[in-house]
Amino acid sequence: MRITVIAGGVGGARFVRGVREWARRESPDSTIDVVVNTGDDAWVAGLRITPDLDSIMYTLAGVNDEQRGWGRVGETERVSAELREWGVGWPWFTLGDLDLGAHIARTSWLREGLPLSTAVERLTARWPLGVRLLPATDAEAETHVHVRDPEGGDRVMHFQEWWTRHRAALPAVRFEQRGVEQAVPAPGVLEAIGDADVVLVAPSNPVVSIGTVLAVPGIRDAVRGTAAPVVGVSPIIGGAAVRGMADACLTAIGVRTAADAVAGHYGARSRGGVLDSWLLAEEDAALVDDVRALGLRTEAAPLWMRDSDTSAALARDAVRLAGVID
Ligand code: GDP
Ligand code: CA
């Protein structure tokens, strides 16, 4: 089976790990392509950083810091301390020493003129990930946030500054993905979506992870046009964004933090949206009829990804809801 996942960082990584685990157990001939958000990417201290791609790479490689939730396990921060002394980079954005190795390798390839997708191919070749990671685009189309500053006036800042430095606490007015109009999908992205047997939308941030992937010209149309069933998994459980601040993003675009509202935001393909089905959390089972009324197939299932068994079971439920397995 050819499985394509659209994903952001940490939620996406947990989900993809579950898809890989399910496929290993029950569908070992499957191939898994992951189209990954690049809207969070940035230039920091002269280096190109790609947080969501790295979260997935480290998680699938088993070198991620499970406790902290991001970055490499056994990380040290000596270089970052030096950079801070010199006032280089973002003092509120710590780059671990091992992580910096990846950023230096990536940046050196980019400076040789290679596209991001080739850099990703080279970085991920180090580990037997069992999935192919595709950046949504090779173009730099970074998410910026227009915020209402409580001290007065409106400001625009890079998504990382809003998210990491301000913990999404400054009220966002809107998101802007600079230059996305000129971006094109990275090589392999449209084929991965168009030729898939099933497309899975990970339980990632609907606005700044999935929304930014779909905003790359051509990707939304590819999802709308694929012959494969498209299934989304709710990142909202019991009316709250688990392990994150996704509600701050949803509020900014006028969508309630509720599983049915997010489903309605994506919309049914039959009504101009991108989904055929929506997997709800069992805590939100009362919303089944509301989601059906949106023109989506739906079902309630356990959506907490606690370990490899719960994540694999979730992947199985998503693939089954797509109708491609019994
Ligand atoms: P980021 O790029 O690191 O912010 O990660 P993503 O955009 O991929 O995912 C963040 C979202 O994942 C959060 O808003 C959560 O709602 C969702 N999430 C995290 N853990 C879980 C989980 O165990 N189950 C489900 N259903 N969603 C989760
Ligand atoms: Ca992210």
Side-chain angles (χ1 to χ4, degrees):
M1 190 182 320
R2 191 153 178 203
I3 304 165
T4 296
V5 184
I6 301 177
V10 174
R14 283 172 186 267
F15 181 68
V16 172
R17 191 166 53 177
V19 172
R20 181 180 68 175
E21 182 59 28
W22 166 75
R24 274 182 184 159
R25 294 178 190 179
E26 295 183 32
S27 184
D29 294 333
S30 296
T31 57
I32 304 167
D33 288 330
V34 188
V35 179
V36 185
N37 171 45
T38 50
D40 301 6
D41 296 5
W43 285 99
V44 185
L47 300 172
R48 189 69 181 158
I49 62 157
T50 61
D52 286 3
L53 282 159
D54 291 357
S55 290
I56 299 185
M57 176 172 74
Y58 295 151
T59 300
L60 295 180
V63 299
N64 60 310
D65 189 330
E66 202 74 36
Q67 220 120 54
R68 191 173 50 167
W70 53 274
R72 295 276 301 256
V73 71
E75 188 60 287
T76 49
E77 293 167 359
R78 299 187 67 196
V79 177
S80 253
E82 288 294 291
L83 292 174
R84 213 167 280 134
E85 291 297 324
W86 285 311
V88 169
W90 289 329
W92 39 266
F93 197 82
T94 301
L95 299 164
D97 296 333
L98 297 172
D99 200 25
L100 274 162
H103 305 328
I104 292 170
R106 175 186 310 108
T107 306
S108 76
W109 290 320
L110 293 175
R111 288 182 64 114
E112 285 171 26
L114 296 169
L116 175 63
S117 46
T118 304
V120 170
E121 212 179 299
R122 290 189 178 184
L123 286 169
T124 54
R126 178 170 171 189
W127 297 282
L129 297 189
V131 321
R132 185 168 66 132
L133 298 190
L134 300 167
T137 177
D138 281 332
E140 290 177 16
E142 300 171 6
T143 304
H144 286 70
V145 191
H146 294 247
V147 301
R148 188 137 299 152
D149 199 323
E151 322 256 286
D154 285 2
R155 286 199 288 148
V156 191
M157 60 185 72
H158 194 284
F159 171 74
Q160 291 296 354
E161 184 175 358
W162 181 67
W163 191 254
T164 307
R165 182 182 191 183
H166 297 289
R167 312 296 304 158
L170 295 175
V173 182
R174 72 182 178 94
F175 297 94
E176 176 192 358
Q177 221 173 327
R178 293 216 177 133
V180 75
E181 305 79 13
Q182 282 83 47
V184 294
V189 168
L190 296 183
E191 293 78 3
I193 295 167
D195 301 342
D197 295 310
V198 57
V199 175
L200 303 174
V201 177
S204 288
N205 189 307
V207 186
V208 294
S209 290
I210 305 298
T212 44
V213 172
L214 295 174
V216 174
I219 295 189
R220 173 180 283 273
D221 285 344
V223 175
R224 286 193 38 73
T226 183
V230 184
V231 181
V233 178
S234 177
I236 308 296
I237 300 181
V242 290
R243 306 187 180 106
M245 309 172 283
D247 50 333
C249 302
L250 289 167
T251 305
I253 63 160
V255 175
R256 275 182 303 120
T257 303
D260 58 328
V262 174
H265 169 65
Y266 285 133
R269 284 207 287 178
S270 57
R271 300 182 189 176
V274 292
L275 298 177
D276 300 316
S277 314
W278 184 242
L279 194 62
L280 277 170
E282 51 193 356
E283 293 86 340
D284 293 313
L287 299 173
V288 161
D289 287 339
D290 298 285
V291 174
R292 288 204 179 116
L294 297 165
L296 293 164
R297 266 176 76 145
T298 190
E299 191 175 285
L303 293 198
W304 279 98
M305 298 180 283
R306 290 197 171 85
D307 49 32
S308 80
D309 281 344
T310 50
S311 308
L314 166 53
R316 179 178 215 293
D317 286 332
V319 177
R320 206 183 33 199
L321 184 60
V324 289
I325 58 164
D326 296 328

